[in-house]
Amino acid sequence: MNISRRSATASLTAVALGVAGLAFSSLAQAADTIKVGVLHSLSGTMAISETVLKDTVLMAIDEINAKGGLLGKKLEPVVVDPASNWPLFA
């Protein structure tokens, strides 16, 4: 059996990519929720308008989860209050 160095390298690369792909898909399947960032000011000058936006996003996430989630996974809201401080948004 005569295998060239190039074909052996290509075969090993394909195997390595396949193993890496399986490992990545296993990690992706391990997470049973999808985190969704909710970045609205709940305090400070913008709270009067953005609190309603936060409530709307949470309501939408509840509706999506009630219908089975997204890609078979539940959405998990992560609510952060940047307190109407623009540098905190960054």
Side-chain angles (χ1 to χ4, degrees):
M1 180 176 201
N2 187 4
I3 299 175
S4 72
R5 182 180 204 122
R6 182 177 293 193
S7 66
T9 302
S11 296
L12 288 174
T13 302
V15 169
L17 288 174
V19 170
L22 287 173
F24 179 73
S25 67
S26 296
L27 289 173
Q29 291 174 358
D32 52 349
T33 61
I34 299 172
K35 292 186 179 185
V36 178
V38 182
L39 185 63
H40 293 293
S41 293
L42 307 177
S43 59
T45 58
M46 296 302 294
I48 194 166
S49 62
E50 293 193 10
T51 301
V52 175
L53 295 174
K54 185 251 331 169
D55 293 340
T56 305
V57 170
L58 293 179
M59 185 175 62
I61 289 173
D62 286 343
E63 287 180 8
I64 292 168
N65 284 339
K67 293 180 181 179
L70 180 66
L71 302 173
K73 299 180 183 194
K74 297 290 184 180
L75 299 180
E76 178 185 342
V78 179
V79 180
V80 177
D81 176 15
S84 302
N85 184 342
W86 300 117
L88 286 178
F89 275 98

